[in-house]
Amino acid sequence: MVGTTLACALGKNTKLANKTILLLEGSKQFQWEPKEQYSNRVVALNLNTKSLLSSIGAWNHIAAVRYGSVKSMQVWDAVSDAMIQFNQDDYLDNVAYIVENDLLLHSVNRELAHVQNVNVLYQAIVDSLKLPDVNSDTSKVLLENGKSFTCDLLLGCDGANSKVRKTMGVQYLSWNYNQMAVVATLKLAENVDDDHNTVAWQRFLPDGPIALLPLRKNLSSLVWTTTPNNAKTLLSLPEEQFVDEVNSAIWKEYPKRSIVSDVMKGFDRFLEILRLPSNAVRQLPPNVSGIEEGSRAAFPLGFGHATKYFKPGVALVGDAAHRVHPLAGQGVNLGFGDVSCLNEILGDAIYCGSVIEDVDNLRKYETERQRHNIPTMLAIDGIQKLYNTNLTPVVLLRSVGLQFTNALYPLKVTKKLYFINVYWYPSNRGI
Amino acid sequence: MLPAFSSRFRLFKKYYSNRYENIIITNYLNCSTNTSIDKDEEVYFKKHSTEWWNKMGDMKPLHSMNKVRVPFIRNGLINTGLVQKDNFNNATPLKDLFILDVGCGVNFAIGGILSEAMARLGANVTGIDDTKDLIEIATSHAALKSDLNNLQYIKGTIADHAQQSSNKYDAVVLSEVIEHIKEKDKFLEACVNCIKPGGSIFITTISKTNISWAGAIVFAEQFKLIPSGTHQWDKFILTHHLQRLLEDYNCRTCLIHGLAYNPLMNSWHWTKNTMINYALHAVKDV
């Protein structure tokens, strides 16, 4: 997804018009037909990603088919009453768009087909790579079918298990969360109007967060992070029982600790005296009535970050450079952020007469992205760790913290950065 | 007290600035003379020529300077209307333009650092230099890149070149050159002679102020930003002196920007302050 978008963005950049781009795609040529049934793999795109897709023309194709709009988000804690809400000014604009992975890839591919200077080679499995050294200025890619290519600049968008990254030999910091994400397409009980299923719900359970992302009026996509054992059980349950489990995860009351409740009540009163929004108003999440047949799946979660994104003549983009927990829906947005940044830096460099493999440009790309990616990733990892425990003092602190953050607009703005996107104008007090 | 100090300071400054010149001149006094280049400087530049294309080597401020001076030249040519509209924001904005990159034996830009960048933007670039070694480095480096067939190098002096190619170029670029030239008036006359009426001259150089002595000579040499002996303060030129000289040859100055170098980041940026480095764009009267 990120690699194809990068090829399309670079190919459409007029400043790079005299460069030829080869996209090596491991899979077969991607065919997509519009289907009634939604796919269970969806991504939450923030506004920056949407404008990138609009700029390469792919958003038109997505909009012509379907996407879910998130006008507000509600995040709450299962073991306390703390909650936080995010939305744009007066709910006028979306905070995120929920798009199926396949539709996104299909839309970018449609645009890519019109780009003259990009060639795509399908089923290209990389056998070995040779990076620039003292003897040569170019990178060499050898495919399993014996073909080989040389290039001035090699961009590795080959996912979390990146071969390019391994060949570069950069330090890669990684760990597993010992959690699995269970995904499914859920049918909602309330047959609400089209405009109304526009809230993304996320509840932090002791095992991990469960999130419902709106697809259309009575359909939502589920991302449920839980322990590997529980994930296996959930996948093997009959569908009706799975639905019960989902409802219970959203609605179940956990025993509240009196100290946490007392402190929060006291803090609430304090906020009222200051005339700041209190925790009192909370929207109720929907009931789940069923799931789309065979839409359940699970995948493991981990964290990873390459300490360097480039070496002479080669750079890492997207998941090859960084991997995060999906609790904030940011993984793919970080990758698309890399694409926008690299596209702009390379275009400007060429427009200044620089050569495309110039390490100064790659260094600039790395600096700019790491300044954004590292704080975002650390915040996501911090939230994951903060909510992955049941220790009373931690629960107390995080609840009061969340309550306070919800009350204070400026803090909410910064925190929201990590949740969904960068544009936010304060005004609301909930519904 | 103060006047005494000030005169001593002046003496010291003169000594400090010219100490390499004195040493070299004694050794190479018998070199053949030439109108516009200083033989002693040529020897110095030859010495450092092997470092030319090492981006992290002695010449690294010149590599990073491309990030400001190439846009300066490109935007200057766009603003004076020489670039066709179709080429804005294109891969080759300087297509069909003829540019002369003057080196005159001592030009930093010549090793091709600047010439190649302009050629990549589509311009037909002629690099002229009187130092054989530098021309050889530049030519061999350009030969590595097959797509640079719009770039040629000439070994010779600007005075000779001006005789054959008056009114030929859309732009003449003197980047970090003029501060190495003694007879600036004759040199500029020859350069301006090569420009078409309505064409531009782009100059980046160092001003002749106490601050530039402290910054571009003492500081830069002590902190090894540039090799010792690169600059001689006596040959630096103030902005308004340069402007005045250009006016003598019918060139109207339309832009003067200060340039500042950040040695920690190895980056250049524009500034209001023209006390040390500055860039000047002037247009030849039609």
Side-chain angles (χ1 to χ4, degrees), chain A residues 6-170:
Chain A
L6 178 63
C8 191
L10 294 176
K12 287 203 166 197
N13 191 338
T14 51
K15 292 172 187 167
L16 301 173
N18 56 1
K19 306 277 174 259
T20 48
I21 300 162
L22 177 68
L23 174 64
L24 298 176
E25 173 65 63
S27 54
K28 281 187 190 160
Q29 184 154 16
F30 182 73
Q31 297 293 345
W32 187 85
E33 293 296 324
K35 274 179 280 189
E36 178 58 25
Q37 198 179 10
Y38 275 76
S39 152
N40 59 2
R41 296 305 310 271
V42 298
V43 283
L45 305 179
N46 66 19
L47 298 190
N48 292 339
T49 304
K50 190 207 164 195
S51 45
L52 168 71
L53 292 173
S54 303
S55 73
I56 61 169
W59 186 257
N60 290 337
H61 302 303
I62 295 174
V65 184
R66 62 194 178 192
Y67 61 86
S69 312
V70 181
K71 289 217 189 311
S72 91
M73 286 185 81
Q74 180 169 302
V75 180
W76 72 108
D77 195 339
V79 294
S80 78
D81 287 326
M83 73 107 190
I84 191 165
Q85 280 182 332
F86 307 106
N87 56 266
Q88 301 281 25
D89 200 6
D90 293 332
Y91 297 88
L92 281 178
D93 207 353
N94 293 329
V95 288
Y97 298 85
I98 312 295
V99 180
E100 294 154 272
N101 291 13
D102 290 351
L103 172 59
L104 178 59
L105 186 56
H106 166 75
S107 308
V108 177
N109 269 333
R110 271 183 73 176
E111 278 304 312
L112 191 61
H114 303 302
V115 182
Q116 296 293 327
N117 53 345
V118 179
N119 291 311
V120 190
L121 198 67
Y122 292 98
Q123 289 175 290
I125 314 289
V126 175
D127 181 63
S128 65
L129 295 159
K130 215 177 130 295
L131 301 179
D133 52 21
V134 275
N135 300 321
S136 84
D137 288 342
T138 52
S139 298
K140 199 168 178 185
V141 183
L142 185 69
L143 300 186
E144 274 184 2
N145 62 10
K147 278 186 192 165
S148 76
F149 301 94
T150 55
C151 59
D152 288 328
L153 178 61
L154 177 70
L155 299 172
C157 319
D158 45 350
N161 272 324
S162 171
K163 199 160 206 164
V164 177
R165 188 186 65 225
K166 285 170 191 162
T167 315
M168 281 163 74
V170 294

Side-chain angles (χ1 to χ4, degrees), chain B residues 86-283:
Chain B
D86 302 343
N87 292 334
F88 293 0
N89 282 323
N90 207 330
T92 50
L94 303 184
K95 208 175 157 217
D96 302 332
L97 295 182
F98 287 83
I99 298 180
L100 179 66
D101 186 6
V102 183
C104 244
V106 288
N107 182 358
F108 271 6
I110 200 96
I113 301 173
L114 179 59
S115 306
E116 281 192 17
M118 293 189 295
R120 275 192 293 269
L121 291 182
N124 298 301
V125 180
T126 307
I128 180 163
D129 196 296
D130 205 21
T131 311
K132 199 168 155 244
D133 286 9
L134 292 184
I135 280 289
E136 275 169 7
I137 300 162
T139 314
S140 62
H141 190 270
L144 292 174
K145 298 277 170 187
S146 54
D147 54 347
L148 289 179
N149 45 19
N150 50 348
L151 171 62
Q152 58 158 334
Y153 292 112
I154 299 172
K155 187 197 172 295
T157 63
I158 183 69
D160 295 341
H161 189 67
Q163 283 172 359
Q164 320 148 15
S165 37
S166 69
N167 297 349
K168 182 182 164 192
Y169 294 98
D170 295 291
V172 169
V173 178
L174 313 174
S175 187
E176 307 301 300
V177 189
I178 204 157
E179 67 269 28
H180 302 282
I181 309 286
K182 260 185 189 155
E183 294 174 317
K184 293 183 176 30
D185 47 353
K186 279 181 192 158
F187 177 72
L188 279 175
E189 186 182 15
C191 291
V192 171
N193 196 12
C194 297
I195 311 173
K196 284 177 192 167
S200 294
I201 180 164
F202 297 94
I203 300 173
T204 72
T205 185
I206 307 174
S207 192
K208 195 174 188 175
T209 61
N210 284 339
I211 293 173
S212 77
W213 173 76
I217 297 183
V218 181
F219 180 86
E221 289 184 3
Q222 290 305 316
F223 286 87
K224 312 264 186 247
L225 300 176
I226 50 174
S228 296
T230 303
H231 291 128
Q232 288 151 23
W233 188 79
D234 282 353
K235 294 191 206 154
F236 291 0
I237 183 164
L238 284 163
T239 46
H240 56 272
H241 287 169
L242 183 57
Q243 236 174 307
R244 166 67 212 282
L245 272 177
L246 285 166
E247 265 164 35
D248 287 348
Y249 303 114
N250 300 326
C251 286
R252 226 169 359 89
T253 301
C254 47
L255 201 61
I256 297 179
H257 270 321
L259 268 167
Y261 180 65
N262 177 348
L264 296 176
M265 302 297 291
N266 182 30
S267 65
W268 291 86
H269 54 263
W270 298 113
T271 158
K272 271 187 199 166
N273 180 355
T274 54
M275 304 272 266
I276 307 179
N277 293 80
Y278 64 93
L280 181 147
H281 173 201
V283 177

Side-chain angles (χ1 to χ4, degrees), chain A residues 369-385:
Chain A
R369 283 319 289 168
Q370 288 196 342
R371 266 182 205 158
H372 179 266
N373 292 351
I374 294 173
T376 310
M377 294 173 73
L378 288 180
I380 294 170
D381 190 58
I383 292 170
Q384 195 272 339
K385 295 204 163 33

Side-chain angles (χ1 to χ4, degrees), chain B residues 41-59:
Chain B
E41 290 211 348
E42 185 184 326
V43 171
Y44 156 79
F45 278 98
K46 270 185 179 168
K47 202 176 96 197
H48 289 277
S49 60
T50 48
E51 283 291 322
W52 234 257
W53 274 100
N54 177 2
K55 293 197 79 174
M56 286 296 122
D58 284 354
M59 300 300 154

Side-chain angles (χ1 to χ4, degrees), chain A residues 222-240:
Chain A
L222 171 81
V223 186
W224 185 355
T225 309
T226 185
T227 58
N229 286 336
N230 195 26
K232 263 181 220 156
T233 325
L234 288 171
L235 288 186
S236 60
L237 287 176
E239 291 191 342
E240 297 81 40

Side-chain angles (χ1 to χ4, degrees), chain A residues 247-263:
Chain A
N247 277 323
S248 127
I250 301 171
W251 289 98
K252 186 181 165 192
E253 287 285 329
Y254 284 81
K256 302 245 155 74
R257 284 145 234 226
S258 57
I259 177 162
V260 177
S261 306
D262 290 348
V263 171

